[in-house]
Amino acid sequence: MQKKLIALDLDGTTLNNQSQITKETQYIIEKLKKEGHIVSIITGRPYRNSHYYYKQLTLDTPIVNFNGAWMHNPSQKSFNHGYHKTLSKDLALSMLSLKDNPDVQLIAAESQTSIYIEGEYIPYPDFFPEGIQMSKQLRPDILQEDPTSIGVFTTTSNYQKKIEQSIIEKYKGSVEVRMWGGTTPCLEVVAAGVQKAMGLERIADYYNVSRENILAFGDQENDYEMIEYAGHGVVMTNGTKRLKSISNDITQRTNDENGLADYLKDYFKL
């Protein structure tokens, strides 16, 4: 089989509902790497809480974080094929007004190395891997850099559409809003034009892999452009209806049933 580029979303796809990569998934991915296929993580998560999955899978490939806003290769300090898209700090601070909405539990502005927060809500156990005390307050006197993304976290997805619409109307074409997080809903705000397919296309270009040889796996709205761009876009059976409508295929099992590993095993006849 020709060499494939396999693009993996994390939450709701590669990770089970306990935010873990199972032994079976790890074993299958290792086999694919040994056969010469390229595996890359493309996630809405920042690198600070996705790096341990990168290390667990012993990857040396580029990774895409913040829904496409940052593409880099942690294993190569001299990697110059990446990019980093930011928002203005003034825009980030203006989003503090969203905290007036009782459904908004946490606003988190993230840079490559720091997180600035308003609220004490912890979306999922490893959101603050070194503890919430390591974060900084999202305040004008403290935020002195342009962030990569702003995450707006709610306890349920019931009011996300309404909040998303209010963000789109207020910032009129200067931002993109994407939903991710699986069971932990997050509206992530990034610079206009940023989405996962941007990072995937850059990785494919780096390895000289054509679109027809790209497999992409996802489950949420923030995976839409990536699934559409890939030659073979696969949506988890636990994924959204809209995403399934543009997919080339759907897994038989959910992310909590080793659905990714099961699909890869059958597709590559392992």
Side-chain angles (χ1 to χ4, degrees):
M1 182 181 286
Q2 199 162 6
K3 179 176 69 176
K4 302 290 185 182
L5 168 58
I6 304 164
L8 302 177
D9 168 53
L10 286 177
D11 295 276
T13 302
T14 305
L15 307 183
N16 62 17
N17 290 346
Q18 289 72 49
S19 297
Q20 298 169 337
I21 297 177
T22 65
K23 289 182 179 180
E24 183 175 350
T25 299
Q26 187 172 351
Y27 172 75
I28 292 296
I29 289 173
E30 192 58 39
K31 284 198 74 171
L32 290 171
K33 286 163 52 189
K34 286 179 179 177
E35 290 190 1
H37 301 294
I38 303 158
V39 179
S40 278
I41 291 172
I42 302 188
T43 179
R45 288 186 178 223
Y47 186 62
R48 64 180 179 81
N49 59 12
S50 57
H51 69 88
Y52 27 82
Y53 302 121
Y54 184 90
K55 291 173 183 174
Q56 182 182 348
L57 295 174
T58 60
L59 299 179
D60 59 5
T61 50
I63 181 173
V64 176
N65 292 108
F66 300 110
N67 281 320
W70 185 23
M71 193 277 265
H72 57 116
N73 191 331
S75 68
Q76 290 184 31
K77 289 184 179 179
S78 60
F79 185 72
N80 57 12
H81 206 74
Y83 64 81
H84 181 219
K85 307 289 185 181
T86 60
L87 296 161
S88 74
K89 63 177 183 289
D90 291 336
L91 185 148
L93 291 167
S94 73
M95 292 194 70
L96 285 169
S97 62
L98 289 172
K99 202 65 172 62
D100 295 336
N101 187 319
D103 299 302
V104 174
Q105 302 296 310
L106 179 73
I107 298 173
E110 302 246 15
S111 68
Q112 289 174 312
T113 57
S114 300
I115 178 170
Y116 304 83
I117 65 169
E118 170 59 36
E120 298 181 354
Y121 176 65
I122 300 177
Y124 47 86
D126 62 345
F127 186 77
F128 298 104
E130 297 175 351
I132 194 171
Q133 71 277 3
M134 299 303 292
S135 63
K136 304 173 184 179
Q137 289 298 302
L138 182 55
R139 296 194 332 229
D141 58 322
I142 295 178
L143 181 64
Q144 297 297 314
E145 60 179 325
D146 289 336
T148 310
S149 77
I150 300 145
V152 181
F153 291 88
T154 57
T155 50
T156 72
S157 59
N158 295 343
Y159 301 100
Q160 281 201 314
K161 277 292 179 188
K162 186 177 178 182
I163 298 169
E164 178 184 15
Q165 195 57 40
S166 71
I167 295 170
I168 291 170
E169 289 175 3
K170 183 173 181 177
Y171 298 105
K172 294 184 175 22
S174 60
V175 300
E176 301 284 348
V177 185
R178 293 289 184 269
M179 188 179 83
W180 65 274
T183 57
T184 306
C186 172
L187 288 171
E188 182 161 46
V189 181
V190 291
V194 166
Q195 30 79 11
K196 286 186 174 185
M198 179 189 293
L200 177 57
E201 184 177 9
R202 186 70 70 95
I203 294 172
D205 179 67
Y206 178 70
Y207 288 110
N208 196 28
V209 175
S210 63
R211 284 178 67 175
E212 65 184 18
N213 286 313
I214 300 173
L215 277 77
F217 293 82
D219 71 306
Q220 289 284 336
E221 294 302 304
N222 65 329
D223 298 311
Y224 191 93
E225 291 86 355
M226 177 175 75
I227 295 296
E228 193 173 47
Y229 177 79
H232 191 72
V234 184
V235 176
M236 305 301 292
T237 195
N238 51 280
T240 67
K241 185 176 180 180
R242 181 169 177 260
L243 201 61
K244 289 175 181 176
S245 71
I246 63 158
S247 69
N248 297 105
D249 208 353
I250 300 168
T251 65
Q252 292 295 312
R253 298 180 182 178
T254 70
N255 67 301
D256 210 36
E257 301 169 321
N258 282 317
L260 172 66
D262 182 64
Y263 188 93
L264 289 170
K265 185 178 179 180
D266 286 348
Y267 185 89
F268 288 97
K269 297 178 172 57
L270 299 177

